[in-house]
Amino acid sequence: MNDTPNDKPGNEWDRLPTVAGGAGAMVRAPGGASRALALELQGPAQPAEDDSQIDLMTYWRIIVKRRWTVISMVVAAVALAVIQTLMTTPLYRATAVLQIDREPIRVLNTEGVIPSESVWDENFYQTQFELLKSRSMAERVASAMNLAEDPAFERLSAPSPLRAFFDSVFGRAPPPAEAEDGALANGTGVVQVPSPEVDAETLQRIEAGRVGWLMGALDVEPVRRSRLVRVSITSPDPDLSSRVANGVAEGFIESNLDRRIDASSFAKRFLETSLADMKARLEVSERALIEFAQQEELVEADNQTTLASQNMTSLNQSLATAKDARIQAESRLRAAQTGRMDALPEVLSNPLIGELRKNRSQLNAEYQQKLTTFKPDFPEMRQLKGRIDEIDRQLEDAIGTIRASIEAEYRAALERENLLMAQLTSVKGEVLDVRGRSIEYNILKREVDTNRQQYEALLQRYKEVGLAGGVGSNNISVVDRARPPGGPFKPNMSTNLRTGLLLGLFFGVLLALLVEYLDDTIKTPQDIEKKLSLPVLGVIPKLRSSETAQSAMEDQRSAFSEAYRSLRTALLFATDKGVPRTLVVTSASIAEGKSTTAFALARNFAQLGKRTLLIDCDLRNPSLHKRVPGAVNENGLSNYLSGAIKPQDMVVATGIENLSFAPTGPLPPNPAELLASPRMSALLTVASHKFDLVILDGPPVMGLADVPILSHMAAGTLFVVESAETRVGMISAAVKRLQSARARIVGTVLTKYDAAQAGYGYGYGYGYGYGYSYYAYGGQQKRLGRA
C-alpha cells in the first residue's frame, strides 16, 4: 500500500508551519545540518591540477572516437593518389654510372700544367656535379645528339591511359601553349617537335627548348662513400632516356678531355714564347760575362775559383802541415833539453843505445856481486869500473847525437813554416786584389747561371707538355652505360598508395585532434572531474535507437537500469548522513535527462522501501506526469503554492509501491515568485518529515531563477550532464550560479554516455556501475563489461 495523504487524514499535512523569510528560508533534513555547513564552508570547487604528462591512451581514445573522420581522410587521400597516378603520363628513368677520380693516372710529370686535385676535397666533387648539371653541358649534349631534330620527341606527347580515355569520351583538349624556352607548359616534360620546314630562328628556339628539357630531366646523384655518380634521365620514352643519359656521360668525358687539351695547348704556346725570351736573355748574359773576364784577365781553374784563390788554398794547407811538424819537433826538443831523453821515441828505438844499456846492466851487476868479496881498489874491481865508465861515455855520445838531430829537425821545420807564411802573405794580397775585381764578375756569373737554369726547366716542361698533349689522360670513366628501363619510374602506384595512405592517416589524425580540441563538450566522467572538479556519482549509458527510457527501466537486467541503481548506491554514501532528505535534480540546459534521472531515482529508492515523494518543480515545461504511471496533471504544485489547495490534494498515487508524485498543475505566469514563497519552504519541511526522501525535478539552471531558489532550500543538489552535448563553459556558469545560491551540490551524473563513441570499448574505461554482469537484450545475453 502506498502511504499517501489519503490514507491518513488529519496527519502532518494539516500542520503546515508559517515560515518567515520567503525565498531566503532554507530547509535542512534532520541530521543534515553538519553536512550543509561543511558544504557551505567548502566554497567553490577548485580547478583540477594540470597534468603536464602526455597520456597516449587519451589520444588513442580521441582517434577511436573520431575514427570515421580519420577513415574518410585516408579514403580521400588514397582515392586522390589513385586518380593522380592514372592521370599522370608514365615516365621512364635510365641511369649511367660514372667514376670521377681526383686526378688521372700520371704517365708524365705534368703537375701545374693540367689542373688537378692533390687531396680529397668535397668542393672538387661538388664542382664536377655542378658541371654535369650546367647549361653549357646541356647545350653540348643537345648539339652533339641533334635533339632539335630528334623524331623521338613526337612520342613524348602521348597522354596517360586515363587521360586518353577522357579525351576519347569528352573530346581532345587543344594543345597547350608553347613555353618561352620551347617546352610545353603542361609540366609533363614534353617538348614540341619542329615541323619539317622551320627557319633558323625557330630551330634555335626549339633547340633551346630541348636544352631546357634536358636540364629538367637530368638528375645527378653521387653514391655515398665512393667516387661513383649516377647520371639519370627521366622522360616518357625509355629509349630516349637511355640515349640521352649515355650522351650526357660521353659529353661530360669529352668536355673534361677538351678542357685538359685546351690547358695543354695554352701551356705549350706559353712555354714556346717563354723559351724564346729566356734563350735570348741567356745569350746576352753569357756574352757579358766573357767580355768582363777578358777585360779583367780573370781565369777560373774549375769554373768556380780563380788561380790565386786556388794557390792560397794550397798554401794554407801546406802551412798547416808545416806548423804541425814544427810543433812536434819543438815538443821533442823541449823533452831533450829538460833531461827527458829516455822518453823520446828516437832513444827508445835506437838499437845501439839499447845494447849499451844492456851491457852496462850486466857489468854493473857483476861489479856489485864482486864488491861483496873484493874492495873497490882491487885490480879486477878497477878493471870492471873502467869498462862501466866506457859504456857510460858511449851512451852519452849516442844520446848527444840524437839531441843534435832533434835540434836540426826543429830548425828546419821552423824555417819551412816561416817561408810558407811569407808566401801566404804574398798570395793573400793577390787574392784580395782579384776578389775586388771579381764582384762584378760574380754578379754576371750568377745571372748566367739563373738564366741557364730557367731555360733548362722551361725546355724540359715544354717537352713534357708536348708528350702529355698526345697521351689524352682523363680522370672520368663510364662504369655502367644506361639501358632502356623495363618499367616506368613514375608514377609508382604502390609508392603513391603508401604516400596517400600515410598522408591521409596523418591529416586524418590531425583533423580528429583539431576537432576534438575545438569540441569543448563534456564527453567522459574524467572530463567532469578534471575540468569541473565535481564528483561523478553515476554514468548512464546511451540507449539504442530502438529503446525508450521507459522500456529500459522496466527491464531490470538492462545496463540502463543497473546504471541508475549504481547512482542510487552512490547517493546513499554522498553525505555523512546518507542520501539528502530533499534532493534537487537539475541540469544546465534542457533535454539532458534530468526528468528521467529524477523519476528513475525516485523509483529505485522506492524499491528499497523508502517512502519517496517525487515533485515536478519545472513550472515552465513539465514532463514528469508523462513518465509516472497513472499520473494526471490537473492539480499540483502551482495550485498549492497559490493557496488554492492543500498539500495532500496535490499528491497523487502511482502504480509503484512507496512512491508518491506531485505534478506541477497549471503553468503559472510567475513560477519563480511561487517557488520563492514561504509555502514552498514549508512544503519541503513537512514533506521531509513525512517521507524518507523528497526528490525535486527542477528546470534547467541557465536563464532561469527557479533552480537557485530550490537548490538553496534543498539539502542537496544532483547535477545532470549530457555526454558530448553540454559545453564546459555552460556547465561552469551553471555551477557558479548554484554555488552563489549556496547550493549543496552532492555530485553529478553523466547521461547518454556512449563508451564506444568516447573512444572506449563497451564496458571499458571508468566502470561507473553498468558493467558488472551479463544482461539480456531481447532474450540474447551480451557481456557489458568487467565486474
Side-chain angles (χ1 to χ4, degrees), residues 5-6 13 16 613-617 619 631-642 644-653 660-666 679-680 682-684 687 691 694:
N6 297 328
W13 292 106
L16 291 178
L613 174 61
L614 178 60
I615 304 177
D616 191 351
C617 295
L619 300 180
V632 179
N633 192 15
E634 293 180 355
N635 295 321
L637 180 62
S638 61
N639 301 101
Y640 161 73
L641 293 178
S642 61
I645 61 174
K646 295 181 179 181
Q648 60 269 27
D649 296 333
M650 72 174 184
V651 177
V652 298
S660 300
F661 173 63
T664 59
R679 295 182 65 85
M680 185 65 192
L683 174 64
L684 294 181
F691 293 92
V694 179

mmCIF file of all heavy atoms in Angstrom, residues 5-6 13 16 613-617 619 631-642 644-653 660-666 679-680 682-684 687 691 694:
data_model
loop_
_atom_site.group_PDB
_atom_site.id
_atom_site.type_symbol
_atom_site.label_atom_id
_atom_site.label_comp_id
_atom_site.label_asym_id
_atom_site.label_seq_id
_atom_site.Cartn_x
_atom_site.Cartn_y
_atom_site.Cartn_z
ATOM 1 N N PRO A 5 -1.335 10.772 1.421
ATOM 2 C CA PRO A 5 -2.111 11.601 2.334
ATOM 3 C C PRO A 5 -3.539 11.134 2.483
ATOM 4 O O PRO A 5 -4.175 11.385 3.493
ATOM 5 C CB PRO A 5 -2.035 12.987 1.694
ATOM 6 C CG PRO A 5 -0.788 12.951 0.886
ATOM 7 C CD PRO A 5 -0.683 11.557 0.396
ATOM 8 N N ASN A 6 -4.077 10.422 1.488
ATOM 9 C CA ASN A 6 -5.455 9.968 1.589
ATOM 10 C C ASN A 6 -5.608 8.832 2.570
ATOM 11 O O ASN A 6 -6.696 8.568 3.065
ATOM 12 C CB ASN A 6 -5.970 9.516 0.214
ATOM 13 C CG ASN A 6 -5.984 10.674 -0.757
ATOM 14 O OD1 ASN A 6 -6.203 11.812 -0.336
ATOM 15 N ND2 ASN A 6 -5.765 10.390 -2.030
ATOM 16 N N TRP A 13 0.130 16.855 7.094
ATOM 17 C CA TRP A 13 -0.141 17.822 6.030
ATOM 18 C C TRP A 13 -0.980 18.993 6.562
ATOM 19 O O TRP A 13 -0.948 20.077 6.009
ATOM 20 C CB TRP A 13 -0.908 17.138 4.884
ATOM 21 C CG TRP A 13 -0.061 16.130 4.147
ATOM 22 C CD1 TRP A 13 -0.163 14.785 4.240
ATOM 23 C CD2 TRP A 13 0.984 16.403 3.254
ATOM 24 N NE1 TRP A 13 0.745 14.168 3.443
ATOM 25 C CE2 TRP A 13 1.493 15.163 2.790
ATOM 26 C CE3 TRP A 13 1.569 17.591 2.762
ATOM 27 C CZ2 TRP A 13 2.520 15.065 1.896
ATOM 28 C CZ3 TRP A 13 2.595 17.466 1.849
ATOM 29 C CH2 TRP A 13 3.068 16.233 1.432
ATOM 30 N N LEU A 16 0.937 22.602 8.670
ATOM 31 C CA LEU A 16 1.972 23.349 7.944
ATOM 32 C C LEU A 16 2.363 24.569 8.741
ATOM 33 O O LEU A 16 1.517 25.399 9.076
ATOM 34 C CB LEU A 16 1.470 23.777 6.568
ATOM 35 C CG LEU A 16 1.270 22.638 5.564
ATOM 36 C CD1 LEU A 16 0.719 23.210 4.289
ATOM 37 C CD2 LEU A 16 2.557 21.886 5.322
ATOM 38 N N LEU A 613 8.838 10.859 -2.253
ATOM 39 C CA LEU A 613 7.936 11.814 -2.886
ATOM 40 C C LEU A 613 8.668 12.474 -4.043
ATOM 41 O O LEU A 613 9.736 13.062 -3.864
ATOM 42 C CB LEU A 613 7.484 12.889 -1.890
ATOM 43 C CG LEU A 613 6.642 14.032 -2.487
ATOM 44 C CD1 LEU A 613 5.337 13.496 -3.091
ATOM 45 C CD2 LEU A 613 6.356 15.097 -1.432
ATOM 46 N N LEU A 614 8.127 12.370 -5.218
ATOM 47 C CA LEU A 614 8.688 12.972 -6.434
ATOM 48 C C LEU A 614 7.846 14.183 -6.793
ATOM 49 O O LEU A 614 6.652 14.061 -7.053
ATOM 50 C CB LEU A 614 8.695 11.957 -7.581
ATOM 51 C CG LEU A 614 9.208 12.460 -8.927
ATOM 52 C CD1 LEU A 614 10.654 12.940 -8.837
ATOM 53 C CD2 LEU A 614 9.075 11.363 -9.986
ATOM 54 N N ILE A 615 8.459 15.374 -6.774
ATOM 55 C CA ILE A 615 7.751 16.626 -7.057
ATOM 56 C C ILE A 615 8.275 17.189 -8.363
ATOM 57 O O ILE A 615 9.496 17.370 -8.530
ATOM 58 C CB ILE A 615 7.941 17.654 -5.920
ATOM 59 C CG1 ILE A 615 7.490 17.059 -4.584
ATOM 60 C CG2 ILE A 615 7.200 18.925 -6.222
ATOM 61 C CD1 ILE A 615 7.724 17.982 -3.396
ATOM 62 N N ASP A 616 7.385 17.470 -9.296
ATOM 63 C CA ASP A 616 7.745 18.109 -10.555
ATOM 64 C C ASP A 616 7.734 19.616 -10.330
ATOM 65 O O ASP A 616 6.681 20.242 -10.267
ATOM 66 C CB ASP A 616 6.757 17.706 -11.662
ATOM 67 C CG ASP A 616 7.262 18.135 -13.029
ATOM 68 O OD1 ASP A 616 8.272 18.884 -13.098
ATOM 69 O OD2 ASP A 616 6.657 17.724 -14.038
ATOM 70 N N CYS A 617 8.956 20.194 -10.191
ATOM 71 C CA CYS A 617 9.091 21.626 -9.922
ATOM 72 C C CYS A 617 9.354 22.432 -11.176
ATOM 73 O O CYS A 617 9.667 23.631 -11.085
ATOM 74 C CB CYS A 617 10.204 21.868 -8.901
ATOM 75 S SG CYS A 617 9.871 21.176 -7.276
ATOM 76 N N LEU A 619 7.905 24.386 -13.457
ATOM 77 C CA LEU A 619 6.635 25.063 -13.693
ATOM 78 C C LEU A 619 6.587 25.748 -15.049
ATOM 79 O O LEU A 619 5.661 26.516 -15.314
ATOM 80 C CB LEU A 619 6.407 26.101 -12.576
ATOM 81 C CG LEU A 619 6.352 25.540 -11.148
ATOM 82 C CD1 LEU A 619 6.123 26.659 -10.153
ATOM 83 C CD2 LEU A 619 5.284 24.473 -11.029
ATOM 84 N N ALA A 631 -0.427 9.073 -13.600
ATOM 85 C CA ALA A 631 -0.422 10.470 -13.159
ATOM 86 C C ALA A 631 -1.224 11.340 -14.114
ATOM 87 O O ALA A 631 -1.194 11.140 -15.328
ATOM 88 C CB ALA A 631 1.006 10.973 -13.048
ATOM 89 N N VAL A 632 -1.968 12.319 -13.506
ATOM 90 C CA VAL A 632 -2.746 13.286 -14.283
ATOM 91 C C VAL A 632 -2.368 14.680 -13.782
ATOM 92 O O VAL A 632 -2.407 14.956 -12.584
ATOM 93 C CB VAL A 632 -4.259 13.054 -14.137
ATOM 94 C CG1 VAL A 632 -5.034 14.098 -14.931
ATOM 95 C CG2 VAL A 632 -4.637 11.644 -14.592
ATOM 96 N N ASN A 633 -2.041 15.539 -14.703
ATOM 97 C CA ASN A 633 -1.573 16.874 -14.330
ATOM 98 C C ASN A 633 -2.756 17.837 -14.301
ATOM 99 O O ASN A 633 -2.917 18.699 -15.157
ATOM 100 C CB ASN A 633 -0.501 17.353 -15.319
ATOM 101 C CG ASN A 633 0.208 18.599 -14.811
ATOM 102 O OD1 ASN A 633 0.109 18.944 -13.631
ATOM 103 N ND2 ASN A 633 0.916 19.263 -15.714
ATOM 104 N N GLU A 634 -3.585 17.705 -13.263
ATOM 105 C CA GLU A 634 -4.723 18.621 -13.102
ATOM 106 C C GLU A 634 -4.434 19.600 -11.965
ATOM 107 O O GLU A 634 -4.339 20.802 -12.156
ATOM 108 C CB GLU A 634 -6.002 17.816 -12.825
ATOM 109 C CG GLU A 634 -6.449 16.964 -14.000
ATOM 110 C CD GLU A 634 -7.705 16.191 -13.697
ATOM 111 O OE1 GLU A 634 -8.160 16.252 -12.528
ATOM 112 O OE2 GLU A 634 -8.226 15.520 -14.602
ATOM 113 N N ASN A 635 -4.371 19.075 -10.753
ATOM 114 C CA ASN A 635 -3.989 19.892 -9.612
ATOM 115 C C ASN A 635 -2.582 19.499 -9.200
ATOM 116 O O ASN A 635 -2.236 18.314 -9.196
ATOM 117 C CB ASN A 635 -4.949 19.681 -8.446
ATOM 118 C CG ASN A 635 -6.347 20.161 -8.777
ATOM 119 O OD1 ASN A 635 -6.510 21.196 -9.433
ATOM 120 N ND2 ASN A 635 -7.358 19.411 -8.343
ATOM 121 N N GLY A 636 -1.827 20.522 -8.807
ATOM 122 C CA GLY A 636 -0.456 20.199 -8.466
ATOM 123 C C GLY A 636 0.210 21.299 -7.671
ATOM 124 O O GLY A 636 -0.430 22.050 -6.918
ATOM 125 N N LEU A 637 1.511 21.406 -7.857
ATOM 126 C CA LEU A 637 2.343 22.302 -7.062
ATOM 127 C C LEU A 637 1.910 23.757 -7.220
ATOM 128 O O LEU A 637 1.884 24.521 -6.249
ATOM 129 C CB LEU A 637 3.825 22.122 -7.446
ATOM 130 C CG LEU A 637 4.831 22.983 -6.697
ATOM 131 C CD1 LEU A 637 4.812 22.676 -5.197
ATOM 132 C CD2 LEU A 637 6.244 22.794 -7.272
ATOM 133 N N SER A 638 1.624 24.148 -8.433
ATOM 134 C CA SER A 638 1.244 25.555 -8.644
ATOM 135 C C SER A 638 -0.053 25.894 -7.908
ATOM 136 O O SER A 638 -0.202 27.009 -7.371
ATOM 137 C CB SER A 638 1.085 25.827 -10.138
ATOM 138 O OG SER A 638 0.068 25.018 -10.687
ATOM 139 N N ASN A 639 -1.010 24.947 -7.847
ATOM 140 C CA ASN A 639 -2.247 25.191 -7.100
ATOM 141 C C ASN A 639 -1.969 25.358 -5.606
ATOM 142 O O ASN A 639 -2.524 26.254 -4.945
ATOM 143 C CB ASN A 639 -3.236 24.042 -7.311
ATOM 144 C CG ASN A 639 -3.578 23.859 -8.782
ATOM 145 O OD1 ASN A 639 -3.035 22.971 -9.416
ATOM 146 N ND2 ASN A 639 -4.451 24.695 -9.332
ATOM 147 N N TYR A 640 -1.055 24.507 -5.096
ATOM 148 C CA TYR A 640 -0.749 24.608 -3.677
ATOM 149 C C TYR A 640 -0.020 25.917 -3.370
ATOM 150 O O TYR A 640 -0.338 26.600 -2.390
ATOM 151 C CB TYR A 640 0.093 23.412 -3.244
ATOM 152 C CG TYR A 640 0.814 23.653 -1.946
ATOM 153 C CD1 TYR A 640 0.121 23.672 -0.726
ATOM 154 C CD2 TYR A 640 2.191 23.907 -1.934
ATOM 155 C CE1 TYR A 640 0.782 23.931 0.457
ATOM 156 C CE2 TYR A 640 2.848 24.157 -0.753
ATOM 157 C CZ TYR A 640 2.144 24.169 0.450
ATOM 158 O OH TYR A 640 2.801 24.440 1.621
ATOM 159 N N LEU A 641 0.986 26.267 -4.181
ATOM 160 C CA LEU A 641 1.761 27.471 -3.897
ATOM 161 C C LEU A 641 0.908 28.730 -4.015
ATOM 162 O O LEU A 641 1.178 29.741 -3.335
ATOM 163 C CB LEU A 641 2.961 27.556 -4.859
ATOM 164 C CG LEU A 641 4.037 26.480 -4.684
ATOM 165 C CD1 LEU A 641 5.139 26.648 -5.738
ATOM 166 C CD2 LEU A 641 4.631 26.518 -3.285
ATOM 167 N N SER A 642 -0.130 28.666 -4.836
ATOM 168 C CA SER A 642 -1.022 29.835 -4.943
ATOM 169 C C SER A 642 -2.103 29.843 -3.858
ATOM 170 O O SER A 642 -2.922 30.770 -3.797
ATOM 171 C CB SER A 642 -1.668 29.852 -6.325
ATOM 172 O OG SER A 642 -2.444 28.693 -6.527
ATOM 173 N N ALA A 644 -4.568 27.568 -3.462
ATOM 174 C CA ALA A 644 -5.861 27.054 -3.916
ATOM 175 C C ALA A 644 -6.190 25.712 -3.292
ATOM 176 O O ALA A 644 -7.367 25.385 -3.083
ATOM 177 C CB ALA A 644 -5.867 26.932 -5.430
ATOM 178 N N ILE A 645 -5.191 24.881 -3.006
ATOM 179 C CA ILE A 645 -5.444 23.556 -2.461
ATOM 180 C C ILE A 645 -4.483 23.315 -1.315
ATOM 181 O O ILE A 645 -3.508 24.061 -1.109
ATOM 182 C CB ILE A 645 -5.287 22.458 -3.523
ATOM 183 C CG1 ILE A 645 -3.856 22.452 -4.068
ATOM 184 C CG2 ILE A 645 -6.299 22.620 -4.651
ATOM 185 C CD1 ILE A 645 -3.561 21.324 -5.019
ATOM 186 N N LYS A 646 -4.740 22.213 -0.618
ATOM 187 C CA LYS A 646 -3.849 21.785 0.433
ATOM 188 C C LYS A 646 -2.783 20.852 -0.147
ATOM 189 O O LYS A 646 -2.954 20.296 -1.224
ATOM 190 C CB LYS A 646 -4.642 21.087 1.525
ATOM 191 C CG LYS A 646 -5.625 21.995 2.245
ATOM 192 C CD LYS A 646 -6.369 21.230 3.328
ATOM 193 C CE LYS A 646 -7.341 22.155 4.074
ATOM 194 N NZ LYS A 646 -8.057 21.437 5.157
ATOM 195 N N PRO A 647 -1.716 20.622 0.596
ATOM 196 C CA PRO A 647 -0.650 19.785 0.043
ATOM 197 C C PRO A 647 -1.104 18.359 -0.250
ATOM 198 O O PRO A 647 -0.681 17.772 -1.242
ATOM 199 C CB PRO A 647 0.432 19.822 1.115
ATOM 200 C CG PRO A 647 -0.144 20.499 2.281
ATOM 201 C CD PRO A 647 -1.361 21.235 1.889
ATOM 202 N N GLN A 648 -1.983 17.799 0.613
ATOM 203 C CA GLN A 648 -2.397 16.435 0.344
ATOM 204 C C GLN A 648 -3.231 16.322 -0.919
ATOM 205 O O GLN A 648 -3.333 15.241 -1.504
ATOM 206 C CB GLN A 648 -3.173 15.850 1.535
ATOM 207 C CG GLN A 648 -4.443 16.603 1.907
ATOM 208 C CD GLN A 648 -4.169 17.675 2.951
ATOM 209 O OE1 GLN A 648 -3.037 18.184 3.013
ATOM 210 N NE2 GLN A 648 -5.159 18.013 3.759
ATOM 211 N N ASP A 649 -3.781 17.447 -1.349
ATOM 212 C CA ASP A 649 -4.594 17.387 -2.560
ATOM 213 C C ASP A 649 -3.752 17.341 -3.830
ATOM 214 O O ASP A 649 -4.245 16.973 -4.908
ATOM 215 C CB ASP A 649 -5.532 18.602 -2.601
ATOM 216 C CG ASP A 649 -6.540 18.596 -1.454
ATOM 217 O OD1 ASP A 649 -6.855 17.482 -0.980
ATOM 218 O OD2 ASP A 649 -6.962 19.692 -1.040
ATOM 219 N N MET A 650 -2.519 17.752 -3.723
ATOM 220 C CA MET A 650 -1.678 17.759 -4.948
ATOM 221 C C MET A 650 -0.913 16.448 -5.130
ATOM 222 O O MET A 650 -0.390 16.166 -6.198
ATOM 223 C CB MET A 650 -0.680 18.917 -4.895
ATOM 224 C CG MET A 650 0.436 18.724 -3.904
ATOM 225 S SD MET A 650 1.657 20.044 -4.017
ATOM 226 C CE MET A 650 2.868 19.462 -2.832
ATOM 227 N N VAL A 651 -0.816 15.642 -4.083
ATOM 228 C CA VAL A 651 -0.072 14.387 -4.168
ATOM 229 C C VAL A 651 -1.005 13.307 -4.692
ATOM 230 O O VAL A 651 -2.114 13.140 -4.182
ATOM 231 C CB VAL A 651 0.492 14.000 -2.801
ATOM 232 C CG1 VAL A 651 1.208 12.656 -2.886
ATOM 233 C CG2 VAL A 651 1.426 15.070 -2.290
ATOM 234 N N VAL A 652 -0.538 12.610 -5.714
ATOM 235 C CA VAL A 652 -1.320 11.547 -6.337
ATOM 236 C C VAL A 652 -0.584 10.232 -6.163
ATOM 237 O O VAL A 652 0.646 10.184 -6.038
ATOM 238 C CB VAL A 652 -1.578 11.827 -7.826
ATOM 239 C CG1 VAL A 652 -2.383 13.103 -8.010
ATOM 240 C CG2 VAL A 652 -0.259 11.897 -8.590
ATOM 241 N N ALA A 653 -1.365 9.150 -6.158
ATOM 242 C CA ALA A 653 -0.786 7.824 -6.022
ATOM 243 C C ALA A 653 -0.236 7.360 -7.366
ATOM 244 O O ALA A 653 -0.692 7.772 -8.430
ATOM 245 C CB ALA A 653 -1.827 6.854 -5.500
ATOM 246 N N SER A 660 5.207 8.361 -4.248
ATOM 247 C CA SER A 660 4.153 9.345 -4.429
ATOM 248 C C SER A 660 4.656 10.429 -5.379
ATOM 249 O O SER A 660 5.863 10.695 -5.468
ATOM 250 C CB SER A 660 3.757 9.971 -3.080
ATOM 251 O OG SER A 660 3.290 8.972 -2.177
ATOM 252 N N PHE A 661 3.694 11.071 -6.059
ATOM 253 C CA PHE A 661 4.067 12.024 -7.097
ATOM 254 C C PHE A 661 3.226 13.270 -6.966
ATOM 255 O O PHE A 661 2.009 13.196 -6.756
ATOM 256 C CB PHE A 661 3.870 11.390 -8.481
ATOM 257 C CG PHE A 661 4.081 12.360 -9.603
ATOM 258 C CD1 PHE A 661 5.315 12.967 -9.821
ATOM 259 C CD2 PHE A 661 3.024 12.693 -10.446
ATOM 260 C CE1 PHE A 661 5.495 13.855 -10.859
ATOM 261 C CE2 PHE A 661 3.208 13.586 -11.488
ATOM 262 C CZ PHE A 661 4.436 14.170 -11.701
ATOM 263 N N ALA A 662 3.865 14.435 -7.095
ATOM 264 C CA ALA A 662 3.182 15.730 -7.086
ATOM 265 C C ALA A 662 3.454 16.403 -8.409
ATOM 266 O O ALA A 662 4.578 16.843 -8.669
ATOM 267 C CB ALA A 662 3.662 16.591 -5.928
ATOM 268 N N PRO A 663 2.450 16.505 -9.307
ATOM 269 C CA PRO A 663 2.676 17.158 -10.601
ATOM 270 C C PRO A 663 2.762 18.663 -10.432
ATOM 271 O O PRO A 663 2.601 19.218 -9.345
ATOM 272 C CB PRO A 663 1.462 16.732 -11.416
ATOM 273 C CG PRO A 663 0.404 16.491 -10.392
ATOM 274 C CD PRO A 663 1.076 15.947 -9.180
ATOM 275 N N THR A 664 2.990 19.347 -11.533
ATOM 276 C CA THR A 664 3.135 20.808 -11.487
ATOM 277 C C THR A 664 1.787 21.509 -11.398
ATOM 278 O O THR A 664 1.688 22.606 -10.829
ATOM 279 C CB THR A 664 3.866 21.295 -12.737
ATOM 280 O OG1 THR A 664 3.106 20.907 -13.893
ATOM 281 C CG2 THR A 664 5.255 20.711 -12.822
ATOM 282 N N GLY A 665 0.749 20.920 -11.990
ATOM 283 C CA GLY A 665 -0.520 21.628 -12.081
ATOM 284 C C GLY A 665 -0.482 22.629 -13.223
ATOM 285 O O GLY A 665 0.414 22.593 -14.080
ATOM 286 N N PRO A 666 -1.438 23.538 -13.256
ATOM 287 C CA PRO A 666 -1.454 24.530 -14.325
ATOM 288 C C PRO A 666 -0.180 25.394 -14.284
ATOM 289 O O PRO A 666 0.348 25.693 -13.206
ATOM 290 C CB PRO A 666 -2.706 25.360 -14.023
ATOM 291 C CG PRO A 666 -3.537 24.485 -13.150
ATOM 292 C CD PRO A 666 -2.610 23.656 -12.347
ATOM 293 N N ARG A 679 5.418 29.106 1.368
ATOM 294 C CA ARG A 679 4.685 27.850 1.272
ATOM 295 C C ARG A 679 5.566 26.729 0.705
ATOM 296 O O ARG A 679 5.426 25.580 1.092
ATOM 297 C CB ARG A 679 3.434 28.030 0.404
ATOM 298 C CG ARG A 679 2.407 28.983 1.021
ATOM 299 C CD ARG A 679 1.180 29.084 0.129
ATOM 300 N NE ARG A 679 0.480 27.822 0.031
ATOM 301 C CZ ARG A 679 -0.435 27.387 0.906
ATOM 302 N NH1 ARG A 679 -0.742 28.126 1.977
ATOM 303 N NH2 ARG A 679 -1.036 26.233 0.751
ATOM 304 N N MET A 680 6.482 27.100 -0.212
ATOM 305 C CA MET A 680 7.382 26.085 -0.774
ATOM 306 C C MET A 680 8.338 25.579 0.292
ATOM 307 O O MET A 680 8.583 24.369 0.425
ATOM 308 C CB MET A 680 8.163 26.675 -1.952
ATOM 309 C CG MET A 680 9.035 25.661 -2.662
ATOM 310 S SD MET A 680 8.057 24.358 -3.457
ATOM 311 C CE MET A 680 9.322 23.185 -3.850
ATOM 312 N N ALA A 682 7.812 25.626 3.516
ATOM 313 C CA ALA A 682 7.038 24.847 4.474
ATOM 314 C C ALA A 682 6.712 23.460 3.928
ATOM 315 O O ALA A 682 6.730 22.460 4.660
ATOM 316 C CB ALA A 682 5.761 25.597 4.823
ATOM 317 N N LEU A 683 6.447 23.407 2.611
ATOM 318 C CA LEU A 683 6.157 22.117 1.985
ATOM 319 C C LEU A 683 7.343 21.167 2.124
ATOM 320 O O LEU A 683 7.189 19.990 2.450
ATOM 321 C CB LEU A 683 5.791 22.317 0.516
ATOM 322 C CG LEU A 683 5.590 21.048 -0.314
ATOM 323 C CD1 LEU A 683 4.401 20.255 0.213
ATOM 324 C CD2 LEU A 683 5.406 21.387 -1.771
ATOM 325 N N LEU A 684 8.553 21.654 1.871
ATOM 326 C CA LEU A 684 9.740 20.801 1.962
ATOM 327 C C LEU A 684 9.986 20.356 3.403
ATOM 328 O O LEU A 684 10.414 19.225 3.640
ATOM 329 C CB LEU A 684 10.968 21.542 1.410
ATOM 330 C CG LEU A 684 10.943 21.854 -0.084
ATOM 331 C CD1 LEU A 684 12.218 22.574 -0.492
ATOM 332 C CD2 LEU A 684 10.788 20.585 -0.898
ATOM 333 N N ALA A 687 7.279 17.708 4.170
ATOM 334 C CA ALA A 687 7.469 16.513 3.336
ATOM 335 C C ALA A 687 8.685 15.725 3.778
ATOM 336 O O ALA A 687 8.701 14.486 3.724
ATOM 337 C CB ALA A 687 7.601 16.922 1.877
ATOM 338 N N PHE A 691 8.089 11.877 4.509
ATOM 339 C CA PHE A 691 8.709 10.936 3.571
ATOM 340 C C PHE A 691 10.183 10.773 3.913
ATOM 341 O O PHE A 691 10.825 11.676 4.468
ATOM 342 C CB PHE A 691 8.558 11.440 2.126
ATOM 343 C CG PHE A 691 7.136 11.460 1.634
ATOM 344 C CD1 PHE A 691 6.363 12.612 1.775
ATOM 345 C CD2 PHE A 691 6.578 10.337 1.048
ATOM 346 C CE1 PHE A 691 5.060 12.634 1.319
ATOM 347 C CE2 PHE A 691 5.278 10.360 0.596
ATOM 348 C CZ PHE A 691 4.511 11.510 0.728
ATOM 349 N N VAL A 694 12.623 13.214 -0.537
ATOM 350 C CA VAL A 694 11.855 14.096 -1.408
ATOM 351 C C VAL A 694 12.775 14.469 -2.568
ATOM 352 O O VAL A 694 13.850 15.052 -2.369
ATOM 353 C CB VAL A 694 11.384 15.356 -0.670
ATOM 354 C CG1 VAL A 694 10.616 16.261 -1.623
ATOM 355 C CG2 VAL A 694 10.517 14.980 0.526
#
